[in-house]
Amino acid sequence: MPSGVEVLSRHVLTAELAQDLAAADCVVFLDAAAQGVPGEVRVHRLGPDASAISTMAHFLDPRELLAWCDTLYRRLPQAWLVSVAAGSFDYASYRLSPVARAAMPTMLAEVRRLIDAQVQIGAVR
C-alpha cells in the first residue's frame, strides 16, 4: 500500500469509527451484499445519509457513519463501498465461501484502483 494508507479490519461498523473517518481523506469499505449474482463485485460512491438508520447498538450503515462524521467533526472523506454479492450468509463458519474467496482478487483490484486514483490527484499523502 502507498504511504499514508491505513487498513482497519472490523466485523461491524461502530460509532467510534467516525473519529477515524474524520482523519481520513478517503475511505473504502469492503462488504458482502445480499443483492446480485453471487460473486459479482460492485463499486459505489458513498455520501452521508442520516436517514440510513441502524440500531446503533450493533452496527452502523457506512452512509450513516459518514453522516455522524460530518455532524460531529465537520469533516467528510470521499468514500466508496466495494461489495461482493454473497451466495450464503451462513453463520456456521467464519471462513469465506468459495464464491467470496474467488471474488477477493477483483475486490482488491478495485480497492487498489481507487487508492491509485486518489494518489494521482494528491488526496492520499
Side-chain angles (χ1 to χ4, degrees), residues 93-116:
S93 171
Y94 286 99
R95 294 194 173 130
L96 292 176
S97 70
V99 169
R101 195 173 315 111
M104 286 303 297
T106 303
M107 290 182 78
L108 295 175
E110 289 293 344
V111 170
R112 186 59 193 223
R113 182 184 63 77
L114 291 167
I115 291 170
D116 289 346

Side-chain angles (χ1 to χ4, degrees), residues 1-33:
M1 289 291 150
S3 174
V5 173
E6 182 179 356
V7 176
L8 299 176
S9 175
R10 300 291 186 267
H11 180 67
V12 294
L13 301 177
T14 59
E16 294 79 14
L17 289 171
Q19 185 175 12
D20 293 320
L21 293 181
D25 294 318
C26 62
V27 177
V28 180
F29 296 93
L30 281 81
D31 203 3

Side-chain angles (χ1 to χ4, degrees), residues 59-125:
F59 70 92
L60 289 171
D61 180 291
R63 298 165 300 155
E64 183 184 11
L65 189 55
L66 290 167
W68 278 104
C69 179
D70 189 31
T71 300
L72 295 172
Y73 299 99
R74 299 286 185 236
R75 182 102 171 44
L76 192 61
Q78 294 184 44
W80 292 268
L81 171 64
V82 177
S83 62
V84 60
S88 170
F89 286 95
D90 182 11
Y91 287 104
S93 171
Y94 286 99
R95 294 194 173 130
L96 292 176
S97 70
V99 169
R101 195 173 315 111
M104 286 303 297
T106 303
M107 290 182 78
L108 295 175
E110 289 293 344
V111 170
R112 186 59 193 223
R113 182 184 63 77
L114 291 167
I115 291 170
D116 289 346
Q118 293 304 301
V119 169
Q120 287 180 0
I121 64 169
V124 175
R125 300 182 258 299

